[in-house]
Amino acid sequence: MNREAYMKLIEEISLNAWPSHKIELYDGWLIRFSHNYTHRTNSVQQVGASSIPVEEKVAYCEAMYANYHTPAIFKISPLLDPAFDRMLEERGYEIQHTTEVMTMDLKKLNAYEPLSVEYEYYGRNSGLPSSIYYPDETIVQLRDRITEEWINSLFRLNGTSNPTLRRIVPSMFKAIPKETIVASVEIDGRTVAVGLGILDRGHVGLYAIYVDASCRRKGLGRCICSSILSEAKKKGAEHAYLQVVKGNVHAKHLYTTLGYEDFYTYWFRAKNVTGTQNEIS
């Protein structure tokens, strides 16, 4: 598969992995809206051929987002004609949330090896987690479904307190159409780290990697990621991908040590975006 074709595949499975609250397909463009939870789920993404003049389409999208009381945001990837990015710049759109996509052949995975696994995670119907024990006394719990408890822990770790988001985001997680690997770490009965793996067509995507501020630089993120990726290999995944915001040095270092390599970069063009957005990794 050539570079462009593989880029298209990663873009497609990324869309599958993280549904929006509302989606409209408009002449080859996806208009996504999620009350500003993330840039990815609250932006326009081009997925097909167009027949309507681009200026008319941009105006339509601006009107749609105005109805939602939020600025229009457009995702810009290397797959697009650079002229579209220039046009948005001329209309006053600024670059925001530059994101680096990293990929890995799982044969090259440099996972943190556990001491033991309490019992096999896959093939169970009990709903109980597997326990992965690491040398530093970290225990990663793995489940095959997203629970309300896990989502509430994620909200606490990423600082989501808006009542609207706390109401709609759980439905977005539940709308994920693909198989999931759900990870967490507890200390004294309190969840201090979470992560999510989403499987699709021989790939596993890493999402929602969060560690409590009081527990950072202790290897919890490495344990979470290693557990998800190793489990994905057991399930037949051969490749991995993730998206990390440019400038997140510590996360980038972790992913590089696991075996990920840079693939491509995308960004968003937006006008006057207000408020803080929580970006799912």
Side-chain angles (χ1 to χ4, degrees):
M1 186 180 297
N2 63 36
R3 180 180 176 84
E4 181 176 338
Y6 192 48
M7 198 179 298
K8 288 180 178 178
L9 174 63
I10 296 298
E11 288 287 292
E12 186 172 305
I13 61 180
S14 298
L15 277 172
N16 288 341
W18 192 214
S20 293
H21 178 56
K22 294 181 179 180
I23 301 176
E24 175 184 348
L25 180 59
Y26 171 57
D27 189 44
W29 291 10
L30 283 181
I31 303 173
R32 311 176 78 197
F33 174 70
S34 300
H35 292 276
N36 286 329
Y37 183 64
T38 69
H39 279 70
R40 288 181 225 168
T41 61
N42 212 84
S43 59
V44 180
Q45 184 163 345
Q46 299 185 28
V47 296
S50 297
S51 59
I52 300 172
V54 66
E55 292 83 1
E56 181 180 337
K57 293 180 71 171
V58 169
Y60 178 87
C61 293
E62 290 175 339
M64 288 297 298
Y65 283 107
N67 288 336
Y68 289 134
H69 306 289
T70 185
I73 304 174
F74 293 85
K75 181 178 177 180
I76 308 297
S77 79
L79 295 170
L80 301 185
D81 185 338
F84 180 72
D85 189 44
R86 292 194 296 270
M87 182 203 70
L88 291 180
E89 183 178 21
E90 291 170 358
R91 292 173 70 102
Y93 282 77
E94 298 178 349
I95 292 177
Q96 295 187 349
H97 222 79
T98 300
T99 302
E100 298 171 329
V101 177
M102 305 182 75
T103 57
M104 171 174 52
D105 184 331
L106 284 173
K107 292 178 182 177
K108 300 179 180 179
L109 172 62
N110 180 32
Y112 188 26
E113 292 297 327
L115 291 173
S116 64
V117 179
E118 187 172 288
Y119 50 83
E120 288 298 327
Y121 155 68
Y122 50 88
R124 300 187 336 271
N125 294 315
S126 65
L128 297 173
S130 289
S131 297
I132 317 297
Y133 295 86
Y134 288 93
D136 54 5
E137 300 186 354
T138 297
I139 303 173
V140 176
Q141 294 185 331
L142 292 182
R143 290 179 170 83
D144 57 3
R145 63 177 181 267
I146 298 170
T147 64
E148 294 288 344
E149 179 182 4
W150 185 89
I151 293 174
N152 288 332
S153 296
L154 171 67
F155 285 158
R156 180 172 50 78
L157 292 171
N158 70 12
T160 299
S161 58
N162 182 289
T164 299
L165 295 180
R166 293 182 73 93
R167 176 176 55 83
I168 69 165
V169 172
S171 66
M172 293 163 59
F173 275 105
K174 292 174 183 177
I176 295 172
K178 299 299 178 177
E179 185 177 1
T180 57
I181 301 172
V182 185
S184 60
V185 174
E186 293 183 2
I187 296 179
D188 297 328
R190 182 171 180 265
T191 299
V192 296
V194 297
L196 180 65
I198 302 177
L199 298 161
D200 191 356
R201 281 170 280 181
H203 287 69
V204 57
L206 276 188
Y207 290 87
I209 308 298
Y210 287 100
V211 178
D212 188 274
S214 65
C215 298
R216 290 173 186 165
R217 316 292 180 260
K218 296 181 179 180
L220 299 189
R222 184 186 179 200
C223 293
I224 287 274
C225 294
S226 295
S227 298
I228 293 172
L229 295 171
S230 297
E231 190 64 36
K233 285 185 68 176
K234 291 181 186 178
K235 288 176 168 290
E238 297 179 345
H239 303 276
Y241 72 94
L242 58 81
Q243 301 161 89
V244 59
V245 176
K246 187 174 182 178
N248 190 342
V249 177
H250 294 292
K252 189 73 179 290
H253 175 72
L254 167 62
Y255 300 142
T256 301
T257 58
L258 286 169
Y260 284 92
E261 297 178 347
D262 290 327
F263 184 26
Y264 65 95
T265 299
Y266 68 81
W267 57 91
F268 298 89
R269 285 280 185 181
K271 277 185 180 178
N272 301 320
V273 175
T274 59
T276 300
Q277 293 183 316
N278 302 295
E279 179 64 20
I280 190 166
S281 301

